[in-house]
Amino acid sequence: MAERRMSDACSDFKPNVFNKNKCQNCFKSKEQHAGTATATGACAAGTKVVKQGYLTKAPDLSGKFGGAGKKWKKRWFVLQEDGKCHYFEDEKSSSKKPLGTIDMSECTDVADAEAEVRQFNCLALHTRTRVYYVKAENKSEVDEWMKALLDSISSGTSDAKSTTDGTGGGRPR
């Protein structure tokens, strides 16, 4: 039977059940494990950042209870040139593994979602498996994100479109 030594590197940080600041597999601290987290994390080194900033993200509304009891949360979004849109808890944690990633090559539609979610300054990012709802602080931010996201999906896919009212008309750029 092979023993796992403490010095062996593990693939990524998993918090220990009893001590969340230590890795479950190698028992290294988060700081010691940071090199592994960024290597396996989402932000690839050398990939140009197209747009970044805070957006407020809705909970996943497609689940069994439709996000009941969950709140919209402010997240730091980073849209990269390679078509990956990562989101993090805050700007400081953007060097760590993201909370989630939206692959813009999977995105089929970016739409104005104000009427749909009854919130101002909202966008809907439609992928084949889920719809992500995000909102910005103001209209100009929404317009900037809309343009950046549309540019990202138009350079990666041919079936992407933008709608504001469901007619395929699109938002003026």
Side-chain angles (χ1 to χ4, degrees):
M1 182 156 73
E3 287 184 26
R4 181 169 179 86
R5 289 181 285 148
M6 295 295 271
S7 62
D8 290 346
C10 59
S11 60
D12 63 294
F13 182 84
K14 293 182 183 155
N16 184 281
V17 176
F18 300 106
N19 185 347
K20 303 288 185 213
N21 293 320
K22 301 282 185 173
C23 178
Q24 178 69 31
N25 298 321
C26 66
F27 212 66
K28 289 182 184 177
S29 69
K30 276 186 181 180
E31 291 77 26
Q32 290 173 321
H33 220 284
T36 309
T38 55
T40 60
C43 288
T47 304
K48 184 181 171 192
V49 173
V50 176
K51 175 109 177 99
Q52 61 185 352
Y54 281 104
L55 293 172
T56 305
K57 185 180 123 357
D60 185 3
L61 304 175
S62 63
K64 185 176 181 181
F65 300 107
K70 294 187 177 182
K71 296 179 181 177
W72 290 63
K73 294 185 181 177
K74 191 173 186 177
R75 299 289 181 225
W76 180 257
F77 278 76
V78 178
L79 176 62
Q80 294 181 311
E81 193 174 49
D82 64 357
K84 304 284 189 224
C85 186
H86 310 290
Y87 53 94
F88 304 87
E89 190 168 343
D90 56 31
E91 186 176 359
K92 293 175 186 171
S93 64
S94 64
S95 63
K96 299 177 184 174
K97 195 170 183 178
L99 297 174
T101 300
I102 304 168
D103 187 352
M104 297 309 291
S105 66
E106 298 281 320
C107 194
T108 58
D109 189 14
V110 176
D112 186 305
E114 289 181 359
E116 196 174 340
V117 294
R118 297 185 182 129
Q119 300 259 351
F120 289 114
N121 306 318
C122 286
L123 292 174
L125 285 76
H126 296 265
T127 66
R128 291 177 180 93
T129 57
R130 180 177 166 189
V131 179
Y132 294 88
Y133 295 101
V134 294
K135 67 180 178 179
E137 289 291 318
N138 55 53
K139 191 69 169 164
S140 65
E141 249 186 85
V142 170
D143 291 338
E144 289 173 16
W145 276 102
M146 175 73 91
K147 182 178 178 351
L149 293 167
L150 286 173
D151 289 347
S152 178
I153 61 176
S154 65
S155 65
T157 63
S158 60
D159 62 342
K161 60 183 178 180
S162 166
T163 58
T164 55
D165 57 2
T167 62
R171 171 177 251 168
R173 291 195 202 199

